[in-house]
């Protein structure tokens, strides 16, 4: 399994916290940053955003867009009107910071939301 997917799975159970960046609390951006750092990413992580909106083009500046998801890939999803959401693909599903459940969880299978794009660290 990829180090990115392993790090995401290790964060399962961590509480949800908007703009959270550590194991004391994570949001979807913080989860992805934590997982990518385990895979070697050392760049900046966006901050100061709201629960709705966002600029997904930041992913194109740091990752490579791919056609289909493999374990460790970053998923960009449309979770609701004007709401984008990130997750990490695993071998059996995906990990994401679930604001409703107030924690990081792994869900089996593919996300229930439309996938807007998939990115991978250095192909």
């Amino acid at each position: 399994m990829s180090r990115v997917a392993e790090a995401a799975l290790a964060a399962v159970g961590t509480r949800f916290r908007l703009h959270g960046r550590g194991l004391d609390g994570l949001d979807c951006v913080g989860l992805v940053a934590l997982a990518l750092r385990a895979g070697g990413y050392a760049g900046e992580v966006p901050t100061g955003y709201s629960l709705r909106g966002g600029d997904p083009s930041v992913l194109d500046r740091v990752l490579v867009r791919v056609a289909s998801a493999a374990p460790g890939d970053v998923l960009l999803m449309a979770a609701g009107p004007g709401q984008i959401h990130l997750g990490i693909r695993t071998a059996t599903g995906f990990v994401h910071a679930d604001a409703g459940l107030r924690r990081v969880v792994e869900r089996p299978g593919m996300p229930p939301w439309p996938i807007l794009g998939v990115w991978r660290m250095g192909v």
Side-chain angles (χ1 to χ4, degrees), residues 2-5 8 28-37 39 41 46 55-60 62-77 84-90 93-96 110-111 114-123:
S2 81
R3 289 181 291 170
V4 173
C28 68
V29 175
L31 170 67
V32 167
L34 178 93
L36 291 178
R37 285 202 169 105
Y41 176 72
D55 180 12
S57 70
V58 68
L59 294 169
D60 291 321
V62 297
L63 302 170
V64 177
R65 188 178 267 234
V66 294
S68 61
D73 288 349
V74 175
L75 306 175
L76 176 67
M77 303 159 280
I84 57 174
H85 186 52
L86 298 172
I88 300 288
R89 182 79 171 127
T90 65
F94 71 105
V95 175
H96 72 114
M110 290 302 285
I115 296 177
L116 303 175
V118 178
W119 285 263
R120 183 173 299 155
M121 287 186 64
V123 176

Side-chain angles (χ1 to χ4, degrees), residues 46-61:
T47 60
Y49 47 83
S50 67
L51 282 173
R52 298 226 185 267
D55 180 12
S57 70
V58 68
L59 294 169
D60 291 321
R61 293 191 290 265

